[in-house]
């Protein structure tokens, strides 16, 4: 597994990381098998959030004994069971403490503000909560998770060490809008949703489906490789994301014990040929509508 420098944090992260959103409905046995196999195969980044059901608890239960073998990231901002509104400073502080308890750790490596609006960021209180958590040793670094101009503002504040943002074959706004600014500040950069929720695999979706917007975009983009078998498309999608300048790691979520190793084998093939990468970018620039902004 290739390792890349994570901005100015001193961390060297695996190019493929694990996203914890999908394990909320998985059995403890499957999660234990999945995560331990992933660590054994070279993964060293695990990303979760306060609002991913019992994801934090499951990660803590099955991996607390291997805490020194991986970097642990979580996100905060949503009350998710704590009394009070989202983005309230007191709620934010409580959820950070709750995350540490759930994850069975004294600290995480990064706490990201989770899809926080520019309006809330400008008020300053949520940033102060994260800074105090860092000063108290509850997190080594602080970050922002989100997209569009909200993410751009967060980057330009200069207070964040890390950016987690959507980037894939159906979501490329960040390549020009936010990644250059993040790179200028030597931030660590995570690509979330790197395979576009495998939206091309659906025959049809409703507007309520999580993959709807990507499905709709891909119908218009009509990349020629979308006709390939599923695993080949996953390979191209993953390698496209990881070939983008500035991306340090791509977070893929799964509840299937063998899926991570399969994805790791695909990324081991390295960057996409430049001609293929450029063709995907050119098609995006030709087709993408102005409202095809980064998806939270």
């Amino acid at each position: 597994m290739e390792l890349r420098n994570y901005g100015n944090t001193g961390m060297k992260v695996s190019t493929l990381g694990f996203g914890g959103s999908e394990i909320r409905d998985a059995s403890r046995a499957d999660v234990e098998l999945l995560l331990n196999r992933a660590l054994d195969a070279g993964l060293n980044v695990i990303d979760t959030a306060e609002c991913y059901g019992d994801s934090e608890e499951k990660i803590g239960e099955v991996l607390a004994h291997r805490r020194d073998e991986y970097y642990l990231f979580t996100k905060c901002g949503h009350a998710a069971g704590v009394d009070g509104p989202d983005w309230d400073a007191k709620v934010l502080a409580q959820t950070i403490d709750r995350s540490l308890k759930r994850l069975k750790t004294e600290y995480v490596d990064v706490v990201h503000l989770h899809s926080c609006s520019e309006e809330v960021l400008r008020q300053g209180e949520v940033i102060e909560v994260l800074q105090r958590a860092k000063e108290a040793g509850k997190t080594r670094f602080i970050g922002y998770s989100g997209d569009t101009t909200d993410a751009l503002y967060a980057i330009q504040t200069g207070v964040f060490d890390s950016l987690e943002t959507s980037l894939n074959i159906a979501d490329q706004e960040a390549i020009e809008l936010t990644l250059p600014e993040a790179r200028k500040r030597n931030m660590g950069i995570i690509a979330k949703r790197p395979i576009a929720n495998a939206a091309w695999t659906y025959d049809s979706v409703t507007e309520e489906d999580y993959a709807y917007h990507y499905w709709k975009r891909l119908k218009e983009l009509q990349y020629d490789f979308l006709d390939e078998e599923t695993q080949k498309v996953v390979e191209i999608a993953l390698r496209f994301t990881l070939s983008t300048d500035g991306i340090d790691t791509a977070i893929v979520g799964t509840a299937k014990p063998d899926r991570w190793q399969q994805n790791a084998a695909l990324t081991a093939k390295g960057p996409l040929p430049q001609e293929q990468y450029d063709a995907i970018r050119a098609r995006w620039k030709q087709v993408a509508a102005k409202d095809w902004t980064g998806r939270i």
Side-chain angles (χ1 to χ4, degrees):
M1 177 61 60
E2 179 190 352
L3 299 178
R4 296 181 180 177
N5 291 321
Y6 195 66
N8 60 8
T9 67
M11 292 186 280
K12 296 182 79 70
V13 296
S14 54
T15 52
L16 192 62
F18 178 79
S21 63
E22 294 189 30
I23 61 172
R24 68 186 87 189
D25 297 321
S27 70
R28 185 190 184 283
D30 279 350
V31 173
E32 184 171 21
L33 191 62
L34 165 63
L35 292 181
N36 279 286
R37 281 182 177 177
L39 289 185
D40 292 341
L43 174 140
N44 72 359
V45 175
I46 294 177
D47 175 82
T48 185
E50 83 287 61
C51 59
Y52 291 169
D54 64 353
S55 172
E56 289 181 323
E57 288 100 329
K58 285 175 176 170
I59 291 168
E61 287 171 4
V62 305
L63 287 186
H65 67 293
R66 301 183 67 173
R67 180 65 186 90
D68 61 348
E69 298 181 44
Y70 59 94
Y71 299 120
L72 182 56
F73 302 165
T74 194
K75 295 185 279 293
C76 66
H78 302 99
V82 173
D83 288 339
D86 294 347
W87 310 119
D88 176 82
K90 291 182 179 178
V91 169
L92 211 63
Q94 289 179 53
T95 60
I96 291 172
D97 288 343
R98 183 182 62 182
S99 289
L100 296 180
K101 184 177 180 179
R102 288 172 167 178
L103 291 163
K104 298 185 186 300
T105 186
E106 295 181 355
Y107 73 96
V108 292
D109 294 285
V110 184
V111 170
H112 291 92
L113 276 174
H114 200 178
S115 307
C116 182
S117 70
E118 178 180 340
E119 179 183 2
V120 172
L121 285 168
R122 284 185 179 277
Q123 295 169 13
E125 291 184 353
V126 294
I127 293 175
E128 291 173 2
V129 172
L130 264 68
Q131 289 174 325
R132 288 196 295 270
K134 183 176 180 179
E135 291 167 1
K138 297 176 182 180
T139 182
R140 296 173 59 210
F141 301 100
I142 63 175
Y144 177 84
S145 176
D147 302 274
T148 68
T149 54
D150 295 327
L152 182 61
Y153 176 80
I155 294 165
Q156 291 173 339
T157 65
V159 302
F160 296 106
D161 306 295
S162 174
L163 172 68
E164 183 169 345
T165 198
S166 296
L167 177 64
N168 57 62
I169 58 174
D171 198 339
Q172 299 180 37
E173 180 188 51
I175 294 175
E176 296 180 348
L177 179 67
T178 55
L179 294 192
E181 291 295 314
R183 289 197 300 271
K184 283 180 188 177
R185 292 160 178 81
N186 202 20
M187 296 172 70
I189 303 174
I190 304 169
K192 59 188 175 78
R193 307 175 79 177
I195 60 171
N197 303 121
W200 68 87
T201 63
Y202 297 92
D203 292 329
S204 63
V205 296
T206 68
E207 290 190 29
E208 290 73 34
D209 291 326
Y210 193 60
Y212 172 75
H213 290 281
Y214 287 166
W215 177 84
K216 186 178 179 182
R217 291 179 187 183
L218 291 171
K219 288 293 184 183
E220 296 186 45
L221 286 162
Q222 294 184 329
Y223 296 121
D224 55 4
F225 59 82
L226 293 177
D227 292 329
E228 301 277 354
E229 57 95 21
T230 299
Q231 197 72 344
K232 182 62 177 178
V233 184
V234 169
E235 176 193 325
I236 293 170
L238 269 178
R239 293 173 69 196
F240 170 82
T241 297
L242 286 169
S243 298
T244 300
D245 187 31
I247 297 300
D248 302 317
T249 184
I251 300 297
V252 179
T254 182
K256 298 178 180 179
D258 294 325
R259 183 57 55 81
W260 191 86
Q261 287 92 330
Q262 294 169 5
N263 289 337
L266 300 179
T267 60
K269 297 182 180 182
L272 276 183
Q274 191 63 47
E275 182 179 353
Q276 188 173 21
Y277 182 89
D278 291 344
I280 293 171
R281 288 288 292 133
R283 182 61 179 165
W284 170 268
K285 292 176 182 179
Q286 179 184 16
V287 175
K290 289 183 178 180
D291 63 350
W292 285 17
T293 56
R295 298 298 302 171
I296 294 174

